[in-house]
Amino acid sequence: MTEYGLDRRRFMKAGTALGMAGVLPWNTVAASESTPELEKFVQPMPIPDVLEPDGWWRGGDYYEIPMEEVEKKVHPDLPPTTMWGFDGQVPGPVIKSHRYERINVRYDNSALPEEHIFEVDDMIHGTSPEDYEGYDGAVPEVRTSIHQHGLNVERSSDGQARAWDAPDGTKGPQFVKHVHELPNRQERMIGTYHDHALGVSRLNNYAGLHGFYFIEGWEEKRLNLPRGEYDVPIMLEDRAFEEDGSLHYPDSFVPNFAGDTAFINGAVWPYMEVEPRRYRFRLVNQSNGRTFAIALENEDGHDAPAMHQIAPGHGFLEDVVSIGHEGDLEELIISPYERAEVVVDFSEYAGETLTMTNDAAFPYAGPHGGHDGGHGDGDMDMGGDGGMDMGGDGGMDMGGDKHFPDIPELMQFRVADSVSEPDRSAEPAELDLPSWHGPNENAVKETRQMTLGMRMKMNEPDLHVLNGKASFEGGEHAKPQLGSTEIWELENTGHHSHPIHLHLVNFEIIGRGPDGTHEPAPNERGPKDIVRVDPGETARILVKFENYTGKYPWHCHVLEHEEHAMMRQFEVVGGKGRGRNRGRRDRDRGRRDRDRGRRDRDRDRGDRDRDRDRDRGWRDRWEDQDWNHGNGWGRDDEDDDDDWGW
């Protein structure tokens, strides 16, 4: 096994020997090359199931999802791998809801073992009772708190870092209830549900505790996008494996870790068989710390279909963005926990094999960084309040010439010779996407400057920090007013890119670049809940704090950064008298949500009826004119089940 980088304990030993003077031989990243050589593209990509409700509870569908230890065959040449999954699956099944459709979810961890798959480093904040103010209970090493990423939801159903519980029944200091009540009163989106427990989130997610969460709206159905089996969720990750099939992860904390193997929908370097027609792919980067820069290539390099991006996670983009050679963008950059929806037209590529490639090095430092002039890492600035300033001229070379394992290929698409049924979906380049009415910049009440940096103190682990603070709970934090609109200016003073996520809200990116005045990329012009901030850059986001008061986290979504200690809180505060009659308003809102849900379902039924009538009309004309024989499509005598899922 080869592992690049030095962990904290080896670094402190080296630092002591050198008296912390001069150039220290350590890195803030580790990347593994433990995986044995495996043949690529020898197994089909699994497609996750869509979860069915288990019943009805408090006016909405009820789901109970067990967390279990599973033995999963991730590659034909590896022994089974011990992982943790939802409902026996890694990644977990798709939770699919409708806008205004209230659902209730319980994530049950009682079947998990009491000993973790990986070593739990007790130097990390959140692993001992002393880390929780006013709490004197036990902190079991196996504990979970499941967060529905991207939802506008009450604090007690948010799945926050201190709201964990353990298989033995121990409850964390912020735990309130087992069942998350999720109103889904927001625009359609693709998101995830994943573990967020303080001190072990990086380990639980690496073990497999994450899945897809979709909110669908009637607008996207009117776009006539590919659907049914042609609408495919794809989770992009990296992993490292040992010869015995077990997952490899360092025994002691490292501030950034990457595997050496593409892990797509729970399989190592898979392929997908597709027809020569249009497909919709819902892409999620669920890696601990690896950013991907994705493109499609055939054997000749550039002659491959474009990816037409229609959404950045929430809502839709201003316009369709073509990604590929001679497109609006050369590649799709997607940092940890970012999402993207794309439509790919394979109709001109019958019989060909296409590869999804990745041009982003680890660790990522923006599109102009890198050890080879491309994507990647550069030198490290170690400045910060109370720490050791190790940046600037004459600072420490943190591995600009160091090569960490890249993953240049992710998966393959094998295009069949013909289609099984006609493709009636819309041409993606011609889609007229629904407009998004985001926050009003004229309504901004406050502009906040937030810094993303790094700190180092003698005899302490190195820290990635927000606003120079090393404590999740301590110090002053932002207190936006309920219903107010703010601008947050996020300045990255370090040398790693940081994907910054705000719970509760989505936002609009209104500026980038060294002074925050450059236009965002074309595929960032829509509602998002993560903004990637590259080194030396300030990203300006416009955000409105709506519907709920209370404390919510904002953090880097590189999980090792989040754990130590790049997570702070903001608190949405109510104005005078805002708490009065809130229960009545919530009940009224619940009734309105149910009414909207019924109206949307009625609208969907109407859409389905119109689509069926249209399809029957097309089939009648095909049969009358005998088009099917001339076009090689074959007869289609069965009713067209549109597979709306409602």
Side-chain angles (χ1 to χ4, degrees):
M1 180 196 77
T2 301
E3 186 156 288
Y4 294 94
L6 296 175
D7 66 31
R8 169 178 46 79
R9 291 168 185 166
R10 283 181 285 165
F11 161 65
M12 293 312 302
K13 182 176 179 180
T16 301
L18 291 171
M20 301 300 292
V23 177
L24 300 179
W26 71 287
N27 279 288
T28 60
V29 296
S32 174
E33 281 192 343
S34 66
T35 304
E37 187 173 347
L38 299 171
E39 187 176 356
K40 297 178 181 178
F41 317 128
V42 295
Q43 59 181 330
M45 182 182 74
I47 307 296
D49 298 329
V50 175
L51 202 61
E52 295 293 332
D54 296 297
W56 186 262
W57 190 80
R58 290 193 178 180
D61 285 333
Y62 173 75
Y63 298 82
E64 186 159 310
I65 310 177
M67 290 175 252
E68 304 165 309
E69 187 165 281
V70 297
E71 296 292 316
K72 183 176 177 62
K73 190 78 171 173
V74 300
H75 189 277
D77 296 334
L78 276 178
T81 301
T82 300
M83 308 185 82
W84 290 354
F86 289 99
D87 202 29
Q89 301 179 49
V90 179
V94 178
I95 300 176
K96 183 183 287 189
S97 61
H98 195 279
R99 189 180 185 188
Y100 301 119
E101 180 184 28
R102 181 184 298 270
I103 68 171
N104 307 281
V105 184
R106 179 178 181 180
Y107 305 97
D108 181 6
N109 66 9
S110 60
L112 288 178
E114 295 186 5
E115 183 175 342
H116 212 289
I117 295 176
F118 307 115
E119 291 292 326
V120 176
D121 192 330
D122 60 11
M123 292 293 292
I124 299 305
H125 184 74
T127 55
S128 66
E130 294 76 20
D131 297 331
Y132 302 93
E133 184 177 351
Y135 178 75
D136 58 2
V139 182
E141 67 175 46
V142 175
R143 56 194 187 279
T144 63
S145 178
I146 307 305
H147 168 55
Q148 297 87 196
H149 184 119
L151 288 198
N152 178 261
V153 68
E154 63 177 354
R155 187 185 185 209
S156 59
S157 294
D158 189 40
Q160 295 192 13
R162 294 175 296 172
W164 50 259
D165 68 331
D168 65 4
T170 303
K171 305 292 190 297
Q174 196 181 314
F175 183 88
V176 176
K177 56 186 178 182
H178 285 290
V179 179
H180 292 192
E181 300 176 67
L182 311 176
N184 298 315
R185 291 189 302 262
Q186 59 191 90
E187 292 196 70
R188 47 84 52 206
M189 69 159 218
I190 57 170
T192 75
Y193 57 98
H194 65 86
D195 181 76
H196 211 301
L198 193 65
V200 290
S201 178
R202 72 196 188 284
L203 306 179
N204 291 347
N205 279 277
Y206 194 78
L209 289 182
H210 43 247
F212 298 91
Y213 191 106
F214 298 162
I215 299 175
E216 298 196 329
W218 67 271
E219 306 101 318
E220 60 191 296
K221 297 186 176 73
R222 289 181 178 273
L223 291 174
N224 192 22
L225 299 169
R227 55 185 183 260
E229 63 183 294
Y230 310 112
D231 177 0
V232 182
I234 298 180
M235 189 167 283
L236 308 169
E237 304 180 71
D238 61 347
R239 289 292 183 273
F241 300 90
E242 303 286 0
E243 293 276 356
D244 63 1
S246 62
L247 286 167
H248 172 75
Y249 191 88
D251 288 342
S252 58
F253 179 78
V254 291
N256 202 347
F257 178 76
D260 55 9
T261 304
F263 190 63
I264 314 298
N265 275 10
V268 170
W269 281 304
Y271 65 85
M272 180 183 178
E273 294 182 345
V274 298
E275 298 178 8
R277 58 176 299 142
R278 289 181 280 269
Y279 281 75
R280 176 186 183 182
F281 297 119
R282 309 192 195 209
L283 304 172
V284 178
N285 181 356
Q286 202 89 23
S287 300
N288 275 32
R290 186 182 287 275
T291 291
F292 296 103
I294 298 168
L296 295 179
E297 292 185 3
N298 68 357
E299 294 178 356
D300 296 327
H302 288 304
D303 185 17
M307 295 182 289
H308 297 277
Q309 187 174 352
I310 60 172
H314 296 264
F316 292 95
L317 292 169
E318 287 183 357
D319 298 292
V320 177
V321 176
S322 64
I323 300 173
H325 188 53
E326 297 184 351
D328 299 315
L329 298 171
E330 283 282 339
E331 55 200 3
L332 170 61
I333 299 174
I334 181 169
S335 61
Y337 290 77
E338 281 193 297
R339 291 89 67 203
E341 292 185 63
V342 301
V343 177
V344 179
D345 189 349
F346 295 104
S347 59
E348 301 297 322
Y349 296 86
E352 295 192 35
T353 296
L354 303 163
T355 301
M356 180 185 286
T357 62
N358 167 44
D359 190 41
F362 173 82
Y364 192 75
H368 304 295
H371 47 254
D372 58 357
H375 301 280
D377 187 31
D379 295 341
M380 177 70 66
D381 179 2
M382 298 295 297
D385 293 343
M388 182 182 298
D389 185 1
M390 305 184 75
D393 294 338
M396 180 164 50
D397 181 358
M398 294 305 298
D401 296 326
K402 186 71 173 180
H403 180 75
F404 293 93
D406 295 331
I407 304 179
E409 298 175 315
L410 301 177
M411 62 175 292
Q412 278 188 348
F413 295 101
R414 299 178 180 177
V415 188
D417 292 325
S418 61
V419 296
S420 59
E421 58 182 331
D423 183 1
R424 303 186 190 102
S425 64
E427 167 59 47
E430 299 175 0
L431 288 172
D432 183 14
L433 299 178
S435 59
W436 175 56
H437 302 290
N440 182 359
E441 192 166 355
N442 293 326
V444 169
K445 297 296 184 183
E446 186 162 354
T447 297
R448 301 182 191 272
Q449 285 76 39
M450 308 296 205
T451 59
L452 327 173
M454 196 161 183
R455 244 176 76 172
M456 182 178 164
K457 282 189 176 182
M458 191 73 67
N459 299 323
E460 291 186 14
D462 48 284
L463 301 171
H464 291 277
V465 293
L466 301 173
N467 293 341
K469 306 294 185 183
S471 170
F472 172 48
E473 301 176 28
E476 292 294 321
H477 55 263
K479 293 184 179 181
Q481 193 83 17
L482 180 65
S484 68
T485 300
E486 297 188 352
I487 291 175
W488 284 25
E489 297 181 343
L490 304 163
E491 180 187 5
N492 186 349
T493 62
H495 285 254
H496 285 184
S497 296
H498 295 294
I500 298 299
H501 171 50
L502 277 67
H503 286 220
L504 179 66
V505 298
N506 60 51
F507 49 75
E508 179 182 357
I509 303 173
I510 59 174
R512 278 196 168 280
D515 55 4
T517 60
H518 298 177
E519 289 286 329
N523 64 342
E524 294 181 315
R525 297 171 191 173
K528 292 176 64 66
D529 58 53
I530 286 183
V531 55
R532 188 191 79 250
V533 190
D534 293 328
E537 180 178 41
T538 294
R540 301 174 69 243
I541 61 173
L542 181 67
V543 54
K544 186 174 183 179
F545 298 88
E546 295 186 283
N547 297 326
Y548 300 99
T549 59
K551 292 181 179 179
Y552 290 84
W554 67 286
H555 59 87
C556 177
H557 230 307
V558 172
L559 295 184
E560 285 77 12
H561 294 182
E562 169 195 320
E563 297 261 83
H564 195 64
M566 211 167 196
M567 180 162 61
R568 299 283 296 160
Q569 296 185 99
F570 63 89
E571 183 178 5
V572 182
V573 296
K576 186 176 182 181
R578 283 186 179 270
R580 195 175 302 150
N581 297 324
R582 183 174 294 153
R584 185 179 299 115
R585 288 199 302 272
D586 286 346
R587 286 192 294 274
D588 291 342
R589 186 182 289 123
R591 295 188 189 100
R592 290 197 299 272
D593 289 347
R594 287 191 289 274
D595 290 342
R596 289 188 185 105
R598 293 188 189 102
R599 288 198 298 272
D600 281 353
R601 285 191 289 274
D602 290 343
R603 185 183 291 116
D604 290 341
R605 292 189 187 103
D607 289 344
R608 290 199 297 272
D609 290 343
R610 284 191 294 273
D611 287 343
R612 289 192 180 99
D613 290 343
R614 179 203 63 195
D615 294 341
R616 290 190 184 102
W618 276 109
R619 283 197 294 274
D620 290 344
R621 285 193 288 275
W622 291 336
E623 292 170 1
D624 291 344
Q625 300 181 35
D626 201 25
W627 286 6
N628 50 307
H629 295 297
N631 288 280
W633 286 336
R635 291 183 61 85
D636 185 8
D637 293 327
E638 297 183 1
D639 287 341
D640 182 17
D641 182 0
D642 283 333
D643 192 22
W644 291 112
W646 304 113

